[in-house]
Amino acid sequence: MGVCERCVRAVRLLFWASVLTFVTAVSVSGQPPSPGAQVWTLGVVPEDGQVWTLGVVPEDGQVSERCRELLRVFGQRYGTLARCLVTSARPVTLCQHCHAQYAHLHDIYTNISADQTGPGNVSCQVVLLRSDRLMLLYNLYSSLHDIWESAECTKCLNHNQTDLNNETLSFLTRLNQSLSCFEKYQQGNHSDLCKECKTTYKALNELYSQISTKKSLCIDIEDAMNMTRQLWSKTFNCSVPREETVPVIAVSSFMLFLPIIFYLSNYLHSEQKKRKLIHAKRAKSSHSLMNIQDKLS
């Protein structure tokens, strides 16, 4: 960096420092200072140890009470949803346990972004969402919204997104039946577990396939099925022969032997033609010999 550039930078720093010395101090509580209150400038620490933040007072005063209340409710509901997501991480049960918390956060964010003007003709959307380049509330909500969309929890909830739908409840019921059977027989011989739990596990697999065909899977169902399959195949070393493989094997076997059948039939057909041709030649030669003998006689 050259000498001139350093000089320019120093001048700029001095300029902004001089500007900030005239900035009004506002306490964390958000209440404007009383008419006789002391104004703290940049770098000055109050004697009573109270924490102050510096900020420019808007022309219409501080943030309205309505916007502050929305901000308080948003923070409360955001923390509630974040805690629910963390506690529902393993095993993944966030769609089952956190759908109410997400709905509450979505409602308060909708109220904030509704762009309704309050006292002083000030919109909370502008003040809380777009007043600075960080856009903290928007980014906080977007992060949890993206997690919720990636989990596809709406596919496991009813139309109003207020509770689990019937398919999800049926799946959870069969899942509990399979896991209860695993727990009952896991201490003994695993061959007994494979035999006794085969029916419930097979029913669970069939229901999962039906839900998967309809593309109605959320992360809760996917994770639960993956864990159950790992228990069945890896932990207990069980296997269930799939009935649909029987016709597949039959068709595959037929297609495998089809070329052999084709060439064998061609070979037999060609051999039959050769025999007919030889028989016809012999008959013709015998007829010619008889004609010759007749002529000689």
Side-chain angles (χ1 to χ4, degrees):
M1 182 180 294
V3 178
C4 294
E5 293 181 358
R6 292 180 179 177
C7 293
V8 172
R9 185 175 180 181
V11 171
R12 288 178 179 175
L13 292 175
L14 291 174
F15 171 76
W16 287 113
S18 62
V19 171
L20 289 175
T21 55
F22 295 98
V23 175
T24 304
V26 181
S27 66
V28 173
S29 62
Q31 299 297 330
S34 59
Q38 184 178 2
V39 178
W40 300 100
T41 56
L42 182 66
V44 179
V45 180
E47 295 180 358
D48 58 359
Q50 185 179 5
V51 179
W52 295 78
T53 56
L54 297 177
V56 178
V57 180
E59 295 180 358
D60 58 348
Q62 293 298 311
V63 180
S64 67
E65 289 298 326
R66 173 176 171 272
C67 296
R68 287 189 177 279
E69 178 62 18
L70 291 175
L71 181 62
R72 183 191 67 81
V73 175
F74 178 89
Q76 184 183 37
R77 295 183 179 182
Y78 184 92
T80 302
L81 176 59
R83 286 192 297 271
C84 182
L85 293 177
V86 172
T87 55
S88 303
R90 295 307 304 164
V92 182
T93 56
L94 59 95
C95 299
Q96 304 171 53
H97 298 155
C98 304
H99 61 271
Q101 293 84 336
Y102 176 79
H104 294 159
L105 180 66
H106 176 74
D107 290 341
I108 190 62
Y109 183 81
T110 301
N111 291 337
I112 294 174
S113 58
D115 201 21
Q116 297 177 356
T117 56
N121 199 27
V122 177
S123 169
C124 293
Q125 180 193 38
V126 176
V127 174
L128 300 180
L129 299 182
R130 300 186 301 181
S131 59
D132 56 79
R133 69 176 179 82
L134 186 59
M135 297 188 297
L136 184 60
L137 262 66
Y138 169 80
N139 288 320
L140 288 174
Y141 174 77
S142 296
S143 62
L144 295 189
H145 176 72
D146 292 342
I147 293 174
W148 194 258
E149 290 295 318
S150 299
E152 297 184 296
C153 290
T154 55
K155 295 182 178 180
C156 286
L157 302 175
N158 57 19
H159 180 70
N160 297 325
Q161 303 293 296
T162 56
D163 204 352
L164 300 176
N165 57 32
N166 293 331
E167 283 186 335
T168 304
L169 293 174
S170 298
F171 176 84
L172 293 177
T173 300
R174 295 190 180 182
L175 175 66
N176 290 332
Q177 292 174 353
S178 295
L179 295 180
S180 298
C181 186
F182 292 170
E183 185 178 3
K184 181 178 179 180
Y185 293 98
Q186 67 178 348
Q187 300 300 332
N189 193 340
H190 286 175
S191 60
D192 294 336
L193 183 146
C194 299
K195 179 181 178 181
E196 298 296 333
C197 302
K198 176 181 177 181
T199 302
T200 56
Y201 178 77
K202 182 179 178 182
L204 178 67
N205 257 311
E206 290 176 352
L207 180 58
Y208 180 82
S209 299
Q210 295 174 8
I211 299 176
S212 178
T213 302
K214 297 178 182 178
K215 297 182 179 180
S216 301
L217 295 176
C218 65
I219 188 61
D220 289 22
I221 293 180
E222 291 181 10
D223 186 72
M225 194 68 229
N226 288 336
M227 292 180 62
T228 307
R229 285 175 173 174
Q230 289 180 4
L231 287 174
W232 179 261
S233 59
K234 294 183 179 180
T235 304
F236 304 131
N237 198 24
C238 300
S239 62
V240 176
R242 303 181 64 179
E243 296 179 357
E244 58 267 24
T245 58
V246 176
V248 173
I249 295 175
V251 174
S252 301
S253 301
F254 175 77
M255 296 300 294
L256 179 65
F257 286 100
L258 187 61
I260 300 176
I261 297 173
F262 174 76
Y263 287 112
L264 182 60
S265 62
N266 284 341
Y267 173 77
L268 296 175
H269 185 66
S270 61
E271 288 294 327
Q272 186 177 6
K273 282 187 174 181
K274 289 181 179 179
R275 291 176 182 176
K276 289 182 178 180
L277 182 60
I278 294 173
H279 181 73
K281 287 183 177 180
R282 289 179 177 177
K284 184 177 180 180
S285 60
S286 300
H287 182 70
S288 301
L289 181 59
M290 291 177 61
N291 290 336
I292 295 174
Q293 290 177 352
D294 291 339
K295 291 179 178 180
L296 293 176
S297 60

